[in-house]
Amino acid sequence: MNTVKKIFAQKLMDIQAIKLQPNDPFTWASGWKSPIYTDNRKTLGYSDVRSFVKLELCHIIQEQFPEAEAVAGVATGAIAQGALVADELGLPYAYVRPKPKDHGMGNQVEGQLQKGAKVIVVEDLISTGGSSLKAVQALREYGVEVIGMVASFTYGFPVAEEAFREAGIRLVTLSDYNAVLEQAAETGYIKEEDKQVLVEWRKDPAHWGHPTPSEGKGV
């Protein structure tokens, strides 16, 4: 497995940006029960981790998207990360709101991008991919060419992978769910039997942790 993926997975666990609780699951805003919770914004609070994210995202862009002429961050989680990356690369920067402002100029893309520019999008976390790809669509409507997306972490849900394929967007991430599971098991952060629970969750996260009708009736 990619060394950077495992290194970053460990850093995320060290600062509790990722928490694994297979026996005491979290509830996401969507209502999903989940044995994992991720908050990559915590990386901003640690200078060494913040620099790691910035530099490694820059390396990905330089190696895999060398034609990038500008950077766009996805609000709100990736606004700061995107700005750090753009500054390091010396490129123009903008960020994308979830929807246009309801006052003032009504902007959805904040900043200044040249029409037709080749833009790389920076995101912090990929779950289903819906909000990330809405940002891509907003940028396309703004008049730039989105050449790809880089992100700190992805759960690797099949629904997200399919959505990115359909949108024609190549996604490259610093780390992913598999790397976290491997690193957590190797370091004893979770027990081997817990690993299987985490594997099962990703297969059907929308229904994991909810009782079946028969279970709910006590049958």
Side-chain angles (χ1 to χ4, degrees), residues 25-117:
F26 303 95
T27 301
W28 286 3
S30 62
W32 288 6
K33 296 293 183 180
S34 170
I36 182 172
Y37 186 79
T38 307
D39 183 3
N40 287 331
R41 286 169 289 200
K42 283 197 170 186
T43 62
L44 298 171
Y46 300 83
S47 62
D48 59 329
V49 184
R50 186 173 66 236
S51 293
F52 180 91
V53 173
K54 175 186 69 174
L55 294 175
E56 292 301 330
L57 288 177
C58 286
H59 291 160
I60 291 174
I61 294 169
Q62 290 170 326
E63 292 174 5
Q64 303 202 37
F65 303 97
E67 69 275 31
E69 297 172 331
V71 178
V74 180
T76 59
I79 291 178
Q81 289 179 345
L84 289 167
V85 167
D87 189 60
E88 182 71 19
L89 295 175
L91 294 176
Y93 177 67
Y95 70 86
V96 187
R97 295 176 176 275
K99 60 182 181 180
K101 288 172 64 176
D102 58 6
H103 59 279
M105 298 296 292
N107 294 336
Q108 186 169 5
V109 177
E110 299 283 10
Q112 187 63 42
L113 300 173
Q114 294 294 321
K115 301 297 183 182

Side-chain angles (χ1 to χ4, degrees), residues 196-210:
Q196 188 56 40
V197 173
L198 291 155
V199 169
E200 290 299 318
W201 168 76
R202 194 174 61 175
K203 292 179 181 179
D204 189 10
H207 299 99
W208 184 88
H210 294 284

Side-chain angles (χ1 to χ4, degrees), residues 71-183:
V71 178
V74 180
T76 59
I79 291 178
Q81 289 179 345
L84 289 167
V85 167
D87 189 60
E88 182 71 19
L89 295 175
L91 294 176
Y93 177 67
Y95 70 86
V96 187
R97 295 176 176 275
K99 60 182 181 180
K101 288 172 64 176
D102 58 6
H103 59 279
M105 298 296 292
N107 294 336
Q108 186 169 5
V109 177
E110 299 283 10
Q112 187 63 42
L113 300 173
Q114 294 294 321
K115 301 297 183 182
K118 292 176 169 45
V119 175
I120 184 73
V121 180
V122 176
E123 180 63 288
D124 71 326
L125 175 67
I126 307 294
S127 53
T128 63
S131 59
S132 305
L133 291 173
K134 284 181 181 178
V136 169
Q137 184 58 34
L139 286 164
R140 286 171 168 168
E141 292 173 358
Y142 182 86
V144 299
E145 179 185 350
V146 179
I147 60 172
M149 182 179 294
V150 296
S152 295
F153 184 81
T154 179
Y155 289 110
F157 294 142
V159 64
E161 294 174 352
E162 179 61 26
F164 275 86
R165 277 194 295 270
E166 290 182 357
I169 295 297
R170 184 157 66 101
L171 171 68
V172 184
T173 65
L174 288 186
S175 195
D176 55 34
Y177 191 69
N178 289 337
V180 166
L181 294 196
E182 291 298 325
Q183 192 65 16

